Amino acid sequence: MLKKKRGAQKNTFLPKKRRQTVKSQITTHTPIPIHIPIHIPTPVLTPVPNPIPEIENKPMLAAPMRILMVIDQLNVGGTETYTLSMARELLKKGVSVVIACKKGKLLDHFLGLGCPIYEIDFVLDNYEPDHEKRTQHLDLLKSIIRSENIDLVHGHQFPSGSIALTAAEQMNVPFVFTVHGTYYDRDFLESLERNATITCVSPAIRRLLLSKGVDAKIVSNGIDDHEYHSYAPSYLQHFRNKLGLPQHASVMLYAGRLSWEKGEICEELIHTIAAMRNNGYPNLHLIIAGGGNKQKDILQLVNKKQYPLDEPFIHCVGEIMNMGVYYSLSDCVIGTGRVALEAMSCERPVIAVGSKGFLGIVKPDEYEEAWDSWFGDHDSDKKCSRALLTAHLRRMLAMEPDAKMLLVKSGKQFLNDRFHISQTAQNLTDLYLSTIQLFKKDGHGNKLIELEQSHLF
């Protein structure tokens, strides 16, 4: 069944125009708010390749853009967090956002945006597509596009993106799809190339798409430094005590989805930390934040490594909403992709290791390589190993405080210069505008009026 949740709409800076709408019953929800020394060279920043082309004189639509965001489910992950942050910033810029998805652990955070949310179970509880209800889900999306007067549909995942593409085609509205990783079906990508504007989140993904004959524009992740920032030492000490961390513990944090390659990386890190504790680093602790299909196996491995010790040194905290404080209390973060950006925004050192390989300690002279490979998640020459993890953890633990301070301050500046949410959201807004205008220029807009007048949908 289609469920619709709506919070309070925000004022926009664009003039409204009268549009015909279909009245529907609305359930109002109170929005929930989200709450070895090394030389550090000055980073050399280069322009992001394939930028969004500027729209001549920046023409605006006669009314605020109305965008339908479609994702599989509101789980805790990089794609979902990307969508949450981008939707929040788009709303600030006067764009009207509507979301269609299956509910999940991030539902309350999305409700806090104050925009309409339609619950559609695109996937089953085992995350597989619900093929039997595809037609029903297609009809629901088409009804949302019509009743919400949607100007453009933006998909992010499969299978919801495939259904959203068909709905957009049948309702004659433009479609944008963002490729977030390396795991998309070739046939789906070919259908996107024929009928959609394609974006991706890193240069490595763009190269991969080009190798398949598919071009894409890069719109990077954006980080809101009001959400991801450093915390005061007094509060961090309180929070470490709350988690039962010893006062002199050196805390490593691994954050990510505990599935597939990232689950395997977590297992390698557990073996590495346990071995290091027995070889000169008795105060080493590990926090594991995340969930996934390997979570049960990882918990069994943790119990095996800690038995029969009285004091645990590996702390599994599950899927965490307030990741900022967990990043901030750690001495080093091990992760990839968006996790690496969030940790750097919280002024924490990062050892980058992802699905495609190992990058290591992220230093200023490696920022471009980190961005190009999406911190090892989309491309890398080196494969993760316990030997590499051990070597880079030792370097990090041996780093002098002044060198570490320079490292994290440089990382914060890199984030603000290249990945601030305001700029990335503006890039996406410009792309929306150009896509809608090109769509209308090609004569598609007249067909939508005819469909509305025919009452076929």
Side-chain angles (χ1 to χ4, degrees), residues 336-365:
T336 187
R338 188 178 173 89
V339 164
L341 294 184
E342 292 171 352
M344 291 170 73
S345 186
C346 293
E347 301 184 28
R348 291 294 83 203
V350 172
I351 295 177
V353 53
S355 299
K356 295 298 181 182
F358 188 92
L359 189 64
I361 298 173
V362 180
K363 297 176 287 187
D365 57 353

PDB file of all heavy atoms in Angstrom, residues 336-365:
ATOM      1  N   THR A 336      36.526   4.153   3.571  1.00  0.00           N
ATOM      2  CA  THR A 336      36.623   4.524   2.163  1.00  0.00           C
ATOM      3  C   THR A 336      35.460   5.418   1.782  1.00  0.00           C
ATOM      4  O   THR A 336      34.512   5.590   2.558  1.00  0.00           O
ATOM      5  CB  THR A 336      36.629   3.250   1.285  1.00  0.00           C
ATOM      6  OG1 THR A 336      36.891   3.616  -0.070  1.00  0.00           O
ATOM      7  CG2 THR A 336      35.285   2.537   1.343  1.00  0.00           C
ATOM      8  N   GLY A 337      35.535   6.011   0.596  1.00  0.00           N
ATOM      9  CA  GLY A 337      34.419   6.769   0.056  1.00  0.00           C
ATOM     10  C   GLY A 337      33.947   7.880   0.964  1.00  0.00           C
ATOM     11  O   GLY A 337      34.738   8.664   1.507  1.00  0.00           O
ATOM     12  N   ARG A 338      32.649   7.920   1.167  1.00  0.00           N
ATOM     13  CA  ARG A 338      32.051   8.980   1.969  1.00  0.00           C
ATOM     14  C   ARG A 338      32.506   8.932   3.424  1.00  0.00           C
ATOM     15  O   ARG A 338      32.628   9.969   4.079  1.00  0.00           O
ATOM     16  CB  ARG A 338      30.527   8.899   1.872  1.00  0.00           C
ATOM     17  CG  ARG A 338      29.836  10.087   2.519  1.00  0.00           C
ATOM     18  CD  ARG A 338      28.332  10.048   2.384  1.00  0.00           C
ATOM     19  NE  ARG A 338      27.772  11.127   3.183  1.00  0.00           N
ATOM     20  CZ  ARG A 338      27.553  12.358   2.746  1.00  0.00           C
ATOM     21  NH1 ARG A 338      27.828  12.664   1.502  1.00  0.00           N
ATOM     22  NH2 ARG A 338      27.051  13.284   3.540  1.00  0.00           N
ATOM     23  N   VAL A 339      32.766   7.742   3.955  1.00  0.00           N
ATOM     24  CA  VAL A 339      33.281   7.615   5.321  1.00  0.00           C
ATOM     25  C   VAL A 339      34.571   8.408   5.475  1.00  0.00           C
ATOM     26  O   VAL A 339      34.775   9.116   6.467  1.00  0.00           O
ATOM     27  CB  VAL A 339      33.502   6.137   5.690  1.00  0.00           C
ATOM     28  CG1 VAL A 339      34.382   6.003   6.932  1.00  0.00           C
ATOM     29  CG2 VAL A 339      32.168   5.447   5.930  1.00  0.00           C
ATOM     30  N   ALA A 340      35.458   8.299   4.483  1.00  0.00           N
ATOM     31  CA  ALA A 340      36.726   9.035   4.542  1.00  0.00           C
ATOM     32  C   ALA A 340      36.492  10.538   4.558  1.00  0.00           C
ATOM     33  O   ALA A 340      37.134  11.270   5.330  1.00  0.00           O
ATOM     34  CB  ALA A 340      37.605   8.646   3.352  1.00  0.00           C
ATOM     35  N   LEU A 341      35.561  11.025   3.736  1.00  0.00           N
ATOM     36  CA  LEU A 341      35.251  12.454   3.718  1.00  0.00           C
ATOM     37  C   LEU A 341      34.688  12.915   5.061  1.00  0.00           C
ATOM     38  O   LEU A 341      35.082  13.962   5.587  1.00  0.00           O
ATOM     39  CB  LEU A 341      34.243  12.765   2.615  1.00  0.00           C
ATOM     40  CG  LEU A 341      34.681  12.579   1.163  1.00  0.00           C
ATOM     41  CD1 LEU A 341      33.572  13.048   0.228  1.00  0.00           C
ATOM     42  CD2 LEU A 341      35.964  13.336   0.870  1.00  0.00           C
ATOM     43  N   GLU A 342      33.767  12.156   5.618  1.00  0.00           N
ATOM     44  CA  GLU A 342      33.151  12.530   6.897  1.00  0.00           C
ATOM     45  C   GLU A 342      34.204  12.572   8.006  1.00  0.00           C
ATOM     46  O   GLU A 342      34.204  13.484   8.843  1.00  0.00           O
ATOM     47  CB  GLU A 342      32.043  11.537   7.243  1.00  0.00           C
ATOM     48  CG  GLU A 342      30.839  11.624   6.304  1.00  0.00           C
ATOM     49  CD  GLU A 342      29.832  10.506   6.517  1.00  0.00           C
ATOM     50  OE1 GLU A 342      30.131   9.568   7.298  1.00  0.00           O
ATOM     51  OE2 GLU A 342      28.764  10.542   5.888  1.00  0.00           O
ATOM     52  N   ALA A 343      35.099  11.588   8.009  1.00  0.00           N
ATOM     53  CA  ALA A 343      36.149  11.548   9.037  1.00  0.00           C
ATOM     54  C   ALA A 343      37.094  12.731   8.899  1.00  0.00           C
ATOM     55  O   ALA A 343      37.487  13.352   9.903  1.00  0.00           O
ATOM     56  CB  ALA A 343      36.924  10.236   8.936  1.00  0.00           C
ATOM     57  N   MET A 344      37.472  13.082   7.671  1.00  0.00           N
ATOM     58  CA  MET A 344      38.354  14.233   7.457  1.00  0.00           C
ATOM     59  C   MET A 344      37.659  15.528   7.855  1.00  0.00           C
ATOM     60  O   MET A 344      38.295  16.445   8.378  1.00  0.00           O
ATOM     61  CB  MET A 344      38.794  14.277   5.999  1.00  0.00           C
ATOM     62  CG  MET A 344      39.730  13.133   5.623  1.00  0.00           C
ATOM     63  SD  MET A 344      40.023  13.006   3.846  1.00  0.00           S
ATOM     64  CE  MET A 344      41.107  14.426   3.598  1.00  0.00           C
ATOM     65  N   SER A 345      36.352  15.621   7.640  1.00  0.00           N
ATOM     66  CA  SER A 345      35.610  16.796   8.072  1.00  0.00           C
ATOM     67  C   SER A 345      35.599  16.918   9.589  1.00  0.00           C
ATOM     68  O   SER A 345      35.536  18.029  10.129  1.00  0.00           O
ATOM     69  CB  SER A 345      34.173  16.737   7.528  1.00  0.00           C
ATOM     70  OG  SER A 345      33.470  17.917   7.814  1.00  0.00           O
ATOM     71  N   CYS A 346      35.668  15.766  10.287  1.00  0.00           N
ATOM     72  CA  CYS A 346      35.744  15.750  11.749  1.00  0.00           C
ATOM     73  C   CYS A 346      37.184  15.863  12.249  1.00  0.00           C
ATOM     74  O   CYS A 346      37.443  15.670  13.442  1.00  0.00           O
ATOM     75  CB  CYS A 346      35.108  14.470  12.292  1.00  0.00           C
ATOM     76  SG  CYS A 346      33.322  14.366  12.030  1.00  0.00           S
ATOM     77  N   GLU A 347      38.109  16.169  11.322  1.00  0.00           N
ATOM     78  CA  GLU A 347      39.519  16.378  11.637  1.00  0.00           C
ATOM     79  C   GLU A 347      40.170  15.143  12.259  1.00  0.00           C
ATOM     80  O   GLU A 347      40.843  15.219  13.284  1.00  0.00           O
ATOM     81  CB  GLU A 347      39.693  17.616  12.524  1.00  0.00           C
ATOM     82  CG  GLU A 347      39.156  18.882  11.868  1.00  0.00           C
ATOM     83  CD  GLU A 347      39.406  20.141  12.685  1.00  0.00           C
ATOM     84  OE1 GLU A 347      40.399  20.162  13.450  1.00  0.00           O
ATOM     85  OE2 GLU A 347      38.619  21.091  12.549  1.00  0.00           O
ATOM     86  N   ARG A 348      39.950  14.011  11.585  1.00  0.00           N
ATOM     87  CA  ARG A 348      40.561  12.760  12.008  1.00  0.00           C
ATOM     88  C   ARG A 348      41.461  12.214  10.901  1.00  0.00           C
ATOM     89  O   ARG A 348      41.128  12.332   9.706  1.00  0.00           O
ATOM     90  CB  ARG A 348      39.494  11.715  12.339  1.00  0.00           C
ATOM     91  CG  ARG A 348      38.687  11.989  13.572  1.00  0.00           C
ATOM     92  CD  ARG A 348      39.535  11.932  14.848  1.00  0.00           C
ATOM     93  NE  ARG A 348      40.251  13.193  15.112  1.00  0.00           N
ATOM     94  CZ  ARG A 348      41.352  13.302  15.845  1.00  0.00           C
ATOM     95  NH1 ARG A 348      41.884  12.251  16.419  1.00  0.00           N
ATOM     96  NH2 ARG A 348      41.936  14.464  16.020  1.00  0.00           N
ATOM     97  N   PRO A 349      42.598  11.595  11.258  1.00  0.00           N
ATOM     98  CA  PRO A 349      43.436  10.938  10.248  1.00  0.00           C
ATOM     99  C   PRO A 349      42.687   9.749   9.640  1.00  0.00           C
ATOM    100  O   PRO A 349      41.880   9.105  10.315  1.00  0.00           O
ATOM    101  CB  PRO A 349      44.662  10.461  11.038  1.00  0.00           C
ATOM    102  CG  PRO A 349      44.606  11.169  12.350  1.00  0.00           C
ATOM    103  CD  PRO A 349      43.170  11.475  12.608  1.00  0.00           C
ATOM    104  N   VAL A 350      42.967   9.477   8.383  1.00  0.00           N
ATOM    105  CA  VAL A 350      42.261   8.413   7.668  1.00  0.00           C
ATOM    106  C   VAL A 350      43.262   7.461   7.019  1.00  0.00           C
ATOM    107  O   VAL A 350      44.223   7.894   6.378  1.00  0.00           O
ATOM    108  CB  VAL A 350      41.330   8.993   6.585  1.00  0.00           C
ATOM    109  CG1 VAL A 350      40.750   7.875   5.718  1.00  0.00           C
ATOM    110  CG2 VAL A 350      40.202   9.799   7.225  1.00  0.00           C
ATOM    111  N   ILE A 351      43.026   6.169   7.194  1.00  0.00           N
ATOM    112  CA  ILE A 351      43.683   5.138   6.396  1.00  0.00           C
ATOM    113  C   ILE A 351      42.636   4.640   5.411  1.00  0.00           C
ATOM    114  O   ILE A 351      41.633   4.050   5.810  1.00  0.00           O
ATOM    115  CB  ILE A 351      44.216   3.987   7.268  1.00  0.00           C
ATOM    116  CG1 ILE A 351      45.319   4.490   8.198  1.00  0.00           C
ATOM    117  CG2 ILE A 351      44.718   2.836   6.399  1.00  0.00           C
ATOM    118  CD1 ILE A 351      45.853   3.437   9.161  1.00  0.00           C
ATOM    119  N   ALA A 352      42.854   4.923   4.138  1.00  0.00           N
ATOM    120  CA  ALA A 352      41.851   4.613   3.125  1.00  0.00           C
ATOM    121  C   ALA A 352      42.046   3.209   2.574  1.00  0.00           C
ATOM    122  O   ALA A 352      43.114   2.863   2.065  1.00  0.00           O
ATOM    123  CB  ALA A 352      41.915   5.634   1.984  1.00  0.00           C
ATOM    124  N   VAL A 353      40.993   2.397   2.689  1.00  0.00           N
ATOM    125  CA  VAL A 353      40.974   1.062   2.096  1.00  0.00           C
ATOM    126  C   VAL A 353      39.529   0.752   1.721  1.00  0.00           C
ATOM    127  O   VAL A 353      38.615   0.924   2.519  1.00  0.00           O
ATOM    128  CB  VAL A 353      41.557   0.007   3.066  1.00  0.00           C
ATOM    129  CG1 VAL A 353      40.864   0.064   4.421  1.00  0.00           C
ATOM    130  CG2 VAL A 353      41.466  -1.390   2.475  1.00  0.00           C
ATOM    131  N   GLY A 354      39.329   0.322   0.467  1.00  0.00           N
ATOM    132  CA  GLY A 354      37.976   0.114  -0.020  1.00  0.00           C
ATOM    133  C   GLY A 354      37.835  -1.158  -0.839  1.00  0.00           C
ATOM    134  O   GLY A 354      38.729  -2.016  -0.861  1.00  0.00           O
ATOM    135  N   SER A 355      36.720  -1.259  -1.531  1.00  0.00           N
ATOM    136  CA  SER A 355      36.378  -2.479  -2.268  1.00  0.00           C
ATOM    137  C   SER A 355      37.408  -2.840  -3.316  1.00  0.00           C
ATOM    138  O   SER A 355      37.618  -4.025  -3.614  1.00  0.00           O
ATOM    139  CB  SER A 355      35.008  -2.307  -2.931  1.00  0.00           C
ATOM    140  OG  SER A 355      34.002  -2.077  -1.966  1.00  0.00           O
ATOM    141  N   LYS A 356      38.056  -1.830  -3.920  1.00  0.00           N
ATOM    142  CA  LYS A 356      38.998  -2.088  -5.005  1.00  0.00           C
ATOM    143  C   LYS A 356      40.454  -2.100  -4.573  1.00  0.00           C
ATOM    144  O   LYS A 356      41.336  -2.379  -5.387  1.00  0.00           O
ATOM    145  CB  LYS A 356      38.809  -1.054  -6.122  1.00  0.00           C
ATOM    146  CG  LYS A 356      37.455  -1.137  -6.812  1.00  0.00           C
ATOM    147  CD  LYS A 356      37.266  -2.476  -7.492  1.00  0.00           C
ATOM    148  CE  LYS A 356      35.927  -2.550  -8.207  1.00  0.00           C
ATOM    149  NZ  LYS A 356      35.718  -3.874  -8.834  1.00  0.00           N
ATOM    150  N   GLY A 357      40.746  -1.741  -3.310  1.00  0.00           N
ATOM    151  CA  GLY A 357      42.131  -1.830  -2.887  1.00  0.00           C
ATOM    152  C   GLY A 357      42.510  -0.881  -1.774  1.00  0.00           C
ATOM    153  O   GLY A 357      41.665  -0.263  -1.125  1.00  0.00           O
ATOM    154  N   PHE A 358      43.818  -0.750  -1.561  1.00  0.00           N
ATOM    155  CA  PHE A 358      44.405  -0.070  -0.405  1.00  0.00           C
ATOM    156  C   PHE A 358      45.135   1.195  -0.845  1.00  0.00           C
ATOM    157  O   PHE A 358      45.953   1.170  -1.767  1.00  0.00           O
ATOM    158  CB  PHE A 358      45.382  -1.029   0.295  1.00  0.00           C
ATOM    159  CG  PHE A 358      45.925  -0.531   1.596  1.00  0.00           C
ATOM    160  CD1 PHE A 358      45.301  -0.838   2.791  1.00  0.00           C
ATOM    161  CD2 PHE A 358      47.083   0.235   1.632  1.00  0.00           C
ATOM    162  CE1 PHE A 358      45.803  -0.386   4.005  1.00  0.00           C
ATOM    163  CE2 PHE A 358      47.595   0.685   2.830  1.00  0.00           C
ATOM    164  CZ  PHE A 358      46.956   0.374   4.020  1.00  0.00           C
ATOM    165  N   LEU A 359      44.819   2.309  -0.194  1.00  0.00           N
ATOM    166  CA  LEU A 359      45.500   3.572  -0.463  1.00  0.00           C
ATOM    167  C   LEU A 359      46.419   3.962   0.693  1.00  0.00           C
ATOM    168  O   LEU A 359      47.482   4.525   0.484  1.00  0.00           O
ATOM    169  CB  LEU A 359      44.478   4.677  -0.715  1.00  0.00           C
ATOM    170  CG  LEU A 359      45.012   6.002  -1.214  1.00  0.00           C
ATOM    171  CD1 LEU A 359      45.647   5.851  -2.590  1.00  0.00           C
ATOM    172  CD2 LEU A 359      43.896   7.042  -1.263  1.00  0.00           C
ATOM    173  N   GLY A 360      46.007   3.683   1.929  1.00  0.00           N
ATOM    174  CA  GLY A 360      46.824   3.973   3.100  1.00  0.00           C
ATOM    175  C   GLY A 360      46.516   5.319   3.722  1.00  0.00           C
ATOM    176  O   GLY A 360      45.447   5.896   3.496  1.00  0.00           O
ATOM    177  N   ILE A 361      47.464   5.831   4.525  1.00  0.00           N
ATOM    178  CA  ILE A 361      47.282   7.118   5.193  1.00  0.00           C
ATOM    179  C   ILE A 361      47.055   8.193   4.134  1.00  0.00           C
ATOM    180  O   ILE A 361      47.843   8.344   3.205  1.00  0.00           O
ATOM    181  CB  ILE A 361      48.502   7.465   6.057  1.00  0.00           C
ATOM    182  CG1 ILE A 361      48.691   6.413   7.161  1.00  0.00           C
ATOM    183  CG2 ILE A 361      48.335   8.857   6.680  1.00  0.00           C
ATOM    184  CD1 ILE A 361      49.981   6.582   7.956  1.00  0.00           C
ATOM    185  N   VAL A 362      45.977   8.938   4.267  1.00  0.00           N
ATOM    186  CA  VAL A 362      45.639   9.971   3.290  1.00  0.00           C
ATOM    187  C   VAL A 362      46.382  11.252   3.661  1.00  0.00           C
ATOM    188  O   VAL A 362      46.068  11.903   4.654  1.00  0.00           O
ATOM    189  CB  VAL A 362      44.112  10.218   3.243  1.00  0.00           C
ATOM    190  CG1 VAL A 362      43.788  11.298   2.224  1.00  0.00           C
ATOM    191  CG2 VAL A 362      43.382   8.923   2.905  1.00  0.00           C
ATOM    192  N   LYS A 363      47.388  11.614   2.837  1.00  0.00           N
ATOM    193  CA  LYS A 363      48.208  12.804   3.054  1.00  0.00           C
ATOM    194  C   LYS A 363      47.975  13.801   1.921  1.00  0.00           C
ATOM    195  O   LYS A 363      47.473  13.437   0.856  1.00  0.00           O
ATOM    196  CB  LYS A 363      49.687  12.410   3.126  1.00  0.00           C
ATOM    197  CG  LYS A 363      50.010  11.480   4.301  1.00  0.00           C
ATOM    198  CD  LYS A 363      51.452  11.046   4.286  1.00  0.00           C
ATOM    199  CE  LYS A 363      51.709  10.040   3.167  1.00  0.00           C
ATOM    200  NZ  LYS A 363      53.080   9.467   3.230  1.00  0.00           N
ATOM    201  N   PRO A 364      48.315  15.062   2.136  1.00  0.00           N
ATOM    202  CA  PRO A 364      48.042  16.089   1.127  1.00  0.00           C
ATOM    203  C   PRO A 364      48.561  15.769  -0.269  1.00  0.00           C
ATOM    204  O   PRO A 364      47.893  16.058  -1.263  1.00  0.00           O
ATOM    205  CB  PRO A 364      48.717  17.336   1.711  1.00  0.00           C
ATOM    206  CG  PRO A 364      48.651  17.132   3.182  1.00  0.00           C
ATOM    207  CD  PRO A 364      48.849  15.658   3.390  1.00  0.00           C
ATOM    208  N   ASP A 365      49.759  15.165  -0.367  1.00  0.00           N
ATOM    209  CA  ASP A 365      50.287  14.875  -1.695  1.00  0.00           C
ATOM    210  C   ASP A 365      49.587  13.689  -2.360  1.00  0.00           C
ATOM    211  O   ASP A 365      49.895  13.338  -3.507  1.00  0.00           O
ATOM    212  CB  ASP A 365      51.800  14.626  -1.644  1.00  0.00           C
ATOM    213  CG  ASP A 365      52.176  13.500  -0.695  1.00  0.00           C
ATOM    214  OD1 ASP A 365      51.290  13.001   0.028  1.00  0.00           O
ATOM    215  OD2 ASP A 365      53.363  13.119  -0.673  1.00  0.00           O
TER     216      ASP A 365
END
